[in-house]
Amino acid sequence: MEQEVYVEAPTQVSQNSSGNLLVKKLGVILSVFVFLLPVFFIPASSVSLYVAKISLLATGLVAIFAVFLSAVLSTGVIEIPKAKYLIPLSLFAVIALISSILSGTINASVAGTVFDLGTSGSILMLVFATFMTIVAIKSVGVVNKVVLAFMYSTMALAVYTLFGIFGGPYLPATFAAKLPLFLSGGLIDTAIIFGAVTIMALCAINMSEISNKMRYTLFALMAFSVVFISASNFMPVVVMLGLISLVFFVYILSWSVGRVGEGHNVSLSSLVILVASVVLLLGGSNIGGYVSKAMKIQTTEIRPNFQTTMALTTTAWKQNIALGIGPNNFSKFWAAHKPIEINQTQFWNSDFYAGSGFIPTIAITTGLLGLLSLIAFIGMYLLSGVKAIFAQVNASRSRYLATSTFLVSLYLWVMLFLYTPSITVLALAFIFTGLFTATLAPQGIIGQWKINIFSNPKTNFLSVLSIVLLLIVSIAGGYFVWERTIAVTTFQAGVIKYQTDGNIAIAKESTAKAINMVQSDTYWRGLTEISVTDLGRVLGSITNQNQLTETVRAEIQGLIVDSVESAKKAVEIDNGNFQNWFALGRVYEILASNGIEGSLENARSTYAEAALRSPSNPSVPLALARLDALAGNLDGAKTNIAKALELKNNYTDAYFTLAQLEVASNNIPGAIRSVETATLVEPNNSGLFFQLGLLKYNQKDFAGSANAFEKSVAIMPDYANAKYFLGLSYYQLDRETDATKQFEEIAVTNPENQEVQLILTNLRAGKSIFADAKPPVDSTPEKRTEPPLSEEI
């Protein structure tokens, strides 16, 4: 027996030592992960910032979970804080998953393209991040290291942002194009993160022992953060900073009152932030506008407002009050129920994937149950936070860490209600929730559930097997994310290659590879567009019947089949998506315009399905008008165009098509008189002046067309198609300098348009304006079926 005891003891010591080492690695991995999260990106045009961040999140979680399971195998102990608010948080993730399963589009709702923001898969990862943060921390010292990692990361973010603002123009153009403007998402996301680090810096300066060097660095970081936040013009951050700095000022003062032998401790830094917030609020957009102009960061972000989001919530709850419409289905719901007033804005055809904020969107996608679970979590979390930061048992460092992580996490949760942030801000909200929770048990504020998985020899096998299975499942989950990352990267690489070089073969090959990895309606729809473009190339190359050989016929037939089948596949994957039905209708329309039998009827029925999914979209009646024109029913075409203009009275494509119909019916003089009368009734309708200019241009009244286009541009200065034809009118009037100016302005808003670049090159070289033009570009843009430029007006 003595010998057995002697042998057993070193083994146990070895296991504990190994477990402690793994626990330390957990803290290191978490610190590295938090440092990378705000600043990580992949310098490749084919990898979006979101894809890079979600891949990092998945990788980090798998790494932490794997080391955690290894530590459990070494120590045999699992410890979880008895924080009751973790129950509704876990329930929220379960409700989101159930809602996805019952949504009817499980794949899109759970994973989307790459676990898109708002999918139940991304929600599960975020909630999992909270728990992984908790289990990765065994002492408040580790919390301190993670907090420092976040502050160092924001310092790096500030340096990058400064360099991007003032040093960007000095970088090579090819390299600068691969660098994102903001590493953490968008302008507002970056402002939110700088607001979070300002709160953290206030706590560090007033509640912890730091070196003078660190203190001055934090002062500089706070100063830059306030300036950047003012440039963002996002007032919720300013308001929250003002409120938190006020509460913090009172909090610090209250802790010093009544202490024997100590004077009152006043936080001057929080007072400065409070004053700065008040000044920014009183100054409004004037101060912010000046600062943003000076920093050259005038980025605009548009989203549905709170009232519109609440109206959509009511509609969604009428369909399913308990579980909502399903995660990641907001864009389809928006298409079906968007207010018609949106059509009068430049965002009429934009896909919105979220409402006014993350939590209001959750109310739509996961219903009342999802919303209540989050409200219960936030309410219980708030009570726990207030209790913790006022607990007298807190030591100086513990109180600092509990207070700072709670205030930052609370601030971030408020932002989630007011805004739909990037995955970086979302992940930080859940991680800081975990950090605060991890400070509670070591201080004795709450207890811990302690589970000894090896307490019973009979369960050892089952425990080890379960851990191994969990490890395999986590790796499989990570692989699932990485596979989708590779798929979307491959797809985007092909798209970029096509846009830059016009290489259809590579684009088609890349899309096919993406489809082989992940069945996504986005990829099938992309393949449809590529096949249609290729079909147009082949048909456009045929100038006489002698060129229509059997080989060419076979190629055309193959492209027709590919176009139809890929569009049908997109519809099959997600038949609730308006874009999929419209893409299929567009294929049938193109086939009908080339005389393919039965295509006209198929196009009508398909567009009807699209209309059911987006009844207020003016592109559907306009498409039906084109079909009427193909069938020779000009009256029906005009009726449908009128319907399109009722939905959107400044619809460029509709006015363009209407002008084409008037030209085709040889009714230009009468049409001109009608439009001129209409402009007297609606003198601020830029679309009417655009149509008038087109009619006069077709009649070769270039002075009259120039006058009409000038009025159209005066009403809407960024009206690219009006500028385009104004430039052509000037050219016809021998006003080459004025024509060049118009196309230079168009090139600023349409930098990738090859036709505009060709025209500018010819104008500057003194050549004919359409010299060296190749199909689909021709010298008669007024006779094309669609406007030369695609614009969102």
Side-chain angles (χ1 to χ4, degrees):
M1 286 294 294
E2 292 178 357
Q3 187 177 6
E4 290 177 355
V5 172
Y6 177 79
V7 173
E8 185 68 20
T11 304
Q12 185 66 41
V13 170
S14 177
Q15 286 180 341
N16 289 337
S17 176
S18 176
N20 291 334
L21 180 61
L22 289 170
V23 167
K24 289 180 180 179
K25 287 184 178 180
L26 278 173
V28 173
I29 294 172
L30 181 62
S31 298
V32 172
F33 173 64
V34 170
F35 175 84
L36 288 176
L37 191 59
V39 297
F40 180 76
F41 75 101
I42 297 175
S45 303
S46 59
V47 184
S48 70
L49 193 60
Y50 179 83
V51 170
K53 299 285 189 184
I54 198 71
S55 301
L56 173 67
L57 179 61
T59 303
L61 291 178
V62 169
I64 293 172
F65 192 50
V67 176
F68 165 70
L69 291 178
S70 300
V72 170
L73 283 175
S74 295
T75 62
V77 176
I78 299 175
E79 294 179 335
I80 302 176
K82 293 181 179 179
K84 295 181 179 179
Y85 53 78
L86 295 177
I87 297 174
L89 185 64
S90 303
L91 189 61
F92 166 59
V94 173
I95 291 170
L97 184 59
I98 294 172
S99 179
S100 288
I101 294 171
L102 300 178
S103 67
T105 53
I106 299 177
N107 185 51
S109 189
V110 172
T113 305
V114 190
F115 288 89
D116 308 329
L117 200 64
T119 57
S120 57
S122 67
I123 290 172
L124 284 168
M125 277 198 282
L126 290 168
V127 173
F128 190 54
T130 298
F131 282 91
M132 286 299 95
T133 301
I134 294 170
V135 300
I137 294 172
K138 298 301 180 183
S139 68
V140 291
V142 178
V143 177
N144 190 52
K145 291 178 181 178
V146 177
V147 166
L148 282 173
F150 171 68
M151 288 195 286
Y152 287 134
S153 180
T154 51
M155 291 175 194
L157 183 64
V159 172
Y160 176 91
T161 305
L162 272 172
F163 182 78
I165 293 171
F166 300 109
Y170 301 102
L171 292 174
T174 53
F175 180 70
K178 297 178 181 179
L179 299 178
L181 183 58
F182 301 110
L183 289 182
S184 297
L187 171 65
I188 295 176
D189 300 302
T190 307
I192 291 173
I193 289 177
F194 282 134
V197 79
T198 300
I199 296 169
M200 185 62 70
L202 281 177
C203 295
I205 290 169
N206 292 278
M207 300 181 69
S208 68
E209 296 293 332
I210 56 176
S211 65
N212 287 334
K213 183 179 179 181
M214 185 64 172
R215 186 180 300 272
Y216 295 141
T217 301
L218 291 179
F219 278 134
L221 182 59
M222 288 167 62
F224 174 78
S225 297
V226 170
V227 172
F228 187 90
I229 290 167
S230 68
S232 73
N233 270 315
F234 189 59
M235 287 299 111
V237 172
V238 178
V239 172
M240 282 302 298
L241 275 183
L243 289 174
I244 290 177
S245 59
L246 174 61
V247 170
F248 188 75
F249 175 82
V250 175
Y251 174 73
I252 292 297
L253 184 61
S254 66
W255 270 91
S256 66
V257 172
R259 293 192 175 187
V260 179
E262 294 184 18
H264 293 173
N265 187 10
V266 177
S267 173
L268 293 178
S269 53
S270 59
L271 194 59
V272 170
I273 297 297
L274 175 61
V275 171
S277 300
V278 172
V279 170
L280 290 177
L281 286 173
L282 294 177
S285 59
N286 294 328
I287 296 176
Y290 175 81
V291 177
S292 63
K293 186 177 181 180
M295 297 183 72
K296 303 175 184 178
I297 50 173
Q298 300 180 37
T299 303
T300 303
E301 293 189 29
I302 303 296
R303 56 202 166 100
N305 59 30
F306 183 73
Q307 291 78 10
T308 300
T309 305
M310 289 301 98
L312 291 174
T313 303
T314 302
T315 305
W317 283 8
K318 288 178 181 178
Q319 294 183 13
N320 189 336
I321 188 172
L323 294 171
I325 61 173
N328 203 36
N329 284 326
F330 183 89
S331 61
K332 288 182 284 188
F333 193 72
W334 170 262
H337 301 283
K338 73 175 180 181
I340 195 170
E341 296 80 18
I342 300 295
N343 284 337
Q344 309 311 317
T345 71
Q346 60 181 320
F347 307 102
W348 68 275
N349 204 27
S350 298
D351 288 329
F352 289 104
Y353 295 91
S356 59
F358 176 77
I359 294 177
T361 304
I362 287 298
I364 295 174
T365 58
T366 64
L368 184 60
L369 291 179
L371 179 63
L372 287 178
S373 62
L374 267 185
I375 290 175
F377 157 71
I378 293 172
M380 295 169 69
Y381 185 71
L382 181 61
L383 291 175
S384 297
V386 172
K387 177 183 176 181
I389 63 177
F390 285 103
Q392 295 289 339
V393 297
N394 285 356
S396 177
R397 187 171 71 161
S398 298
R399 184 162 62 88
Y400 149 62
L401 292 172
T403 302
S404 60
T405 54
F406 172 70
L407 289 179
V408 170
S409 60
L410 180 63
Y411 158 82
L412 291 174
W413 278 105
V414 171
M415 290 299 111
L416 299 195
F417 180 81
L418 299 173
Y419 182 66
T420 303
S422 66
I423 188 67
T424 303
V425 176
L426 269 169
L428 287 173
F430 283 85
I431 289 170
F432 270 93
T433 299
L435 289 174
F436 167 72
T437 305
T439 66
L440 301 180
Q443 301 174 70
I445 297 174
I446 61 174
Q448 286 205 117
W449 284 295
K450 195 169 184 178
I451 305 169
N452 190 342
I453 64 172
F454 297 144
S455 59
N456 186 346
K458 294 180 180 180
T459 63
N460 286 358
F461 174 79
L462 184 61
S463 298
V464 173
L465 179 62
S466 299
I467 289 174
V468 172
L469 289 176
L470 284 173
L471 181 59
I472 293 172
V473 169
S474 68
I475 294 173
Y479 173 79
F480 195 44
V481 177
W482 301 323
E483 181 184 46
R484 288 177 173 266
T485 297
I486 295 170
V488 74
T489 302
T490 303
F491 173 70
Q492 288 296 333
V495 170
I496 292 170
K497 192 68 176 177
Y498 170 70
Q499 290 175 342
T500 54
D501 302 340
N503 195 319
I504 294 177
I506 290 181
K508 187 176 291 187
E509 181 184 354
S510 298
T511 305
K513 287 180 180 178
I515 290 172
N516 286 334
M517 286 183 276
V518 176
Q519 289 291 314
S520 168
D521 61 321
T522 301
Y523 302 153
W524 281 111
R525 199 165 62 243
L527 188 60
T528 301
E529 294 174 4
I530 294 168
S531 297
V532 167
T533 302
D534 206 7
L535 178 62
R537 175 189 61 81
V538 175
L539 292 174
S541 65
I542 300 173
T543 57
N544 58 70
Q545 287 295 319
N546 294 331
Q547 294 176 309
L548 198 58
T549 63
E550 287 302 319
T551 302
V552 174
R553 286 179 187 273
E555 184 179 8
I556 292 173
Q557 186 63 35
L559 290 171
I560 289 174
V561 171
D562 289 345
S563 301
V564 174
E565 291 304 316
S566 56
K568 283 184 176 180
K569 193 66 178 179
V571 170
E572 180 185 326
I573 290 174
D574 191 352
N575 65 4
N577 191 326
F578 160 79
Q579 298 290 349
N580 293 337
W581 285 102
F582 196 83
L584 179 58
R586 187 70 177 136
V587 171
Y588 283 134
E589 181 185 343
I590 292 170
L591 298 182
S593 66
N594 285 278
I596 305 299
E597 186 177 354
S599 298
L600 192 64
E601 292 73 19
N602 287 335
R604 286 188 188 278
S605 61
T606 305
Y607 280 138
E609 292 287 345
L612 291 175
R613 289 153 180 81
S614 187
S616 61
N617 195 316
S619 60
V620 177
L622 179 59
L624 293 173
R626 292 194 298 266
L627 295 179
D628 286 330
L630 283 173
N633 182 5
L634 297 185
D635 289 337
K638 291 180 180 180
T639 299
N640 274 312
I641 289 175
K643 291 179 181 178
L645 291 173
E646 285 178 10
L647 294 171
K648 178 175 172 58
N649 65 9
N650 58 351
Y651 193 15
T652 300
D653 289 36
Y655 285 115
F656 189 87
T657 303
L658 187 57
Q660 300 292 70
L661 292 178
E662 299 292 2
V663 172
S665 59
N666 295 316
N667 187 33
I668 298 180
I672 287 175
R673 288 192 295 270
S674 297
V675 177
E676 284 178 335
T677 301
T679 60
L680 296 176
V681 178
E682 298 184 65
N684 293 319
N685 190 326
S686 60
L688 283 174
F689 284 107
F690 175 74
Q691 183 189 3
L692 179 61
L694 277 176
L695 291 169
K696 290 189 174 184
Y697 190 91
N698 274 278
Q699 210 177 27
K700 300 192 183 304
D701 177 7
F702 300 120
S705 67
N707 181 263
F709 289 130
E710 284 171 348
K711 291 179 180 179
S712 181
V713 172
I715 297 169
M716 186 176 290
D718 294 329
Y719 201 156
N721 277 297
K723 283 178 172 288
Y724 177 96
F725 281 102
L726 177 57
L728 293 187
S729 299
Y730 284 153
Y731 176 77
Q732 296 293 346
L733 295 170
D734 296 325
R735 295 170 58 180
E736 284 85 358
T737 302
D738 292 331
T740 302
K741 181 181 177 183
Q742 294 301 316
F743 284 104
E744 285 175 342
E745 292 177 0
I746 297 171
V748 173
T749 55
N750 296 264
E752 296 180 358
N753 189 287
Q754 299 299 316
E755 182 175 353
V756 172
Q757 296 299 328
L758 171 68
I759 291 172
L760 270 176
T761 300
N762 289 335
L763 283 171
R764 290 165 178 165
K767 296 181 180 180
S768 172
I769 198 166
F770 286 108
D772 304 319
K774 298 178 181 179
V777 177
D778 55 43
S779 60
T780 55
E782 72 279 6
K783 295 181 180 179
R784 297 176 195 170
T785 56
E786 294 180 351
L789 301 171
S790 176
E791 55 185 338
E792 300 293 330
I793 66 167

